[in-house]
Amino acid sequence: MADEEESELNEKQKIDIAKWFLLNSPPGEIQFVAEDVKAVLNDDVLYEEALSEASPLYNKSQMISLEMPGGIGDVLVTSYGELSGTEYLDPRTAHVAVVDHIKQANVRPALDEELPSAYVEEFRCALDEEILRYVGEAYPKGVCSVYCGNGKDVEGPGSDFELVVVISAARYSPQNFCNGSWRSVWSIEFKDEVQVLELKGKLQVGAHYFEEGNVQLDANHECKDSTIFQSSEDSAITIGNIIRQHEAEYLASLEVQHLLISQASYSNLPDTTFKDLRRKLPVTRTLFPWHSTLQFSLTRDITKELGIGKIVADFLLVEDVGEFVNCMYSDERLAPCIILSRDFN
């Protein structure tokens, strides 16, 4: 009894375990995991606490998008647009979404101090327009936003600032037992002194297929690039082309890796998988000597058993049973041989 009491989890441990399961939910499936977690915990208080702590972290890690009331647009729930624990900036519409991470979002206009300066906003708007065009072509259900990461108060040339491009696309199809998401974050440092733009990208792909099984993909990729500092429009076009190129190359590499893995798996089926499914040795515990089968004479054994001589010998040389049936032999004693031939072939 003492050992059982010592092994009992306390409330904090139960909440931490529940949060782990919630945070590791596949894309778009936290509500299903939450139902199971609630049933396992069997404690509404602990469940509500775990869900309230895990939901904001999960939403930000998945970069989910929420539709703002009034048809204003969509807001991405990311750390780059986070103003507080429940407020997220949408730079495109200059609105702030007040998000209830378990329910939905309300909206308010952004304050001046929450927006970048006019100089930075010029570069941000140009890049936002270019990325919006790219996402519309590459990700039919994608949402994107461009944030000012650093230097939002820069008033003109001579100082550095940073823009962050966030792209999030998800496709949820639980009725077909599959869900998936694409998330990419690009940090662009505008270095005025050296007239260089430095790009750092982090790409994440998550997929879950669960029809009569459980297969998950969680892939990450990081890349870097650079280009020259130009006007806002020219910089936006160049950055858009760089992002387009790197993401297309990564998607292509995923397809190649999938094909290579599939080919490797299928090529090993005869030598490994199928052999593992078979008995290593027959019941006689000896290997069949395929290199020398003359020691086994099926013709001789059948001839001796049925006493029908050459007819059976000729029959055994016929490869097609249908052809043999059309032969002139009509001896009813051949019926067992036909059955045997089918089994043997």
Side-chain angles (χ1 to χ4, degrees), residues 145-334:
S145 191
V146 180
Y147 303 92
C148 180
N150 293 304
K152 71 183 183 68
D153 297 325
V154 172
E155 297 293 344
S159 299
D160 299 344
F161 61 94
E162 180 189 31
L163 297 180
V164 179
V165 174
V166 177
I167 300 173
S168 177
R171 184 169 184 177
Y172 305 138
S173 185
Q175 69 275 13
N176 294 316
F177 308 99
C178 61
N179 296 305
S181 68
W182 167 278
R183 292 155 287 161
S184 59
V185 177
W186 292 88
S187 300
I188 305 103
E189 294 186 27
F190 290 73
K191 297 188 174 182
D192 187 271
E193 183 178 354
V194 292
Q195 292 292 291
V196 170
L197 306 182
E198 291 187 353
L199 290 81
K200 296 179 182 178
K202 183 177 181 180
L203 317 179
Q204 297 174 279
V205 179
H208 184 209
Y209 183 78
F210 50 97
E211 183 176 12
E212 298 183 358
N214 186 4
V215 180
Q216 295 193 50
L217 167 70
D218 188 6
N220 299 277
H221 176 67
E222 295 185 4
C223 50
K224 296 181 179 180
D225 212 322
S226 62
T227 185
I228 59 173
F229 199 132
Q230 305 174 79
S231 66
S232 58
E233 291 80 7
D234 292 338
S235 294
I237 294 174
T238 303
I239 293 171
N241 289 335
I242 292 174
I243 292 176
R244 186 190 301 265
Q245 177 185 350
H246 280 281
E247 294 194 351
E249 289 176 353
Y250 180 56
L251 284 172
S253 70
L254 285 177
E255 294 179 357
V256 171
Q257 290 176 21
H258 171 71
L259 289 175
L260 291 176
I261 292 173
S262 300
Q263 291 174 358
S265 300
Y266 287 122
S267 64
N268 291 332
L269 284 177
D271 297 329
T272 59
T273 308
F274 287 158
K275 281 189 175 180
D276 291 338
L277 293 174
R278 298 179 60 188
R279 186 168 34 224
K280 300 298 182 182
L281 292 173
V283 291
T284 59
R285 309 300 298 172
T286 56
L287 294 175
F288 188 85
W290 293 104
H291 59 284
S292 178
T293 59
L294 296 178
Q295 58 183 298
F296 299 95
S297 178
L298 184 62
T299 303
R300 183 186 63 241
D301 294 341
I302 294 177
T303 302
K304 182 177 179 181
E305 181 72 21
L306 300 179
I308 54 178
K310 191 176 183 301
I311 295 179
V312 176
D314 291 341
F315 159 70
L316 290 175
L317 295 178
V318 178
E319 295 181 356
D320 188 353
V321 175
E323 180 182 347
F324 172 75
V325 173
N326 292 328
C327 290
M328 58 182 297
Y329 306 117
S330 59
D331 195 324
E332 293 182 356
R333 291 176 296 175
L334 293 180

Side-chain angles (χ1 to χ4, degrees), residues 329-345:
Y329 306 117
S330 59
D331 195 324
E332 293 182 356
R333 291 176 296 175
L334 293 180
C337 301
I338 297 176
I339 297 175
L340 177 62
S341 175
R342 287 173 178 170
D343 292 341
F344 182 74
N345 288 335

Side-chain angles (χ1 to χ4, degrees), residues 124-138:
R124 196 208 66 78
C125 283
L127 182 56
D128 184 61
E129 183 179 349
E130 186 66 27
I131 297 301
L132 193 61
R133 183 183 303 110
Y134 159 62
V135 171
E137 297 172 356

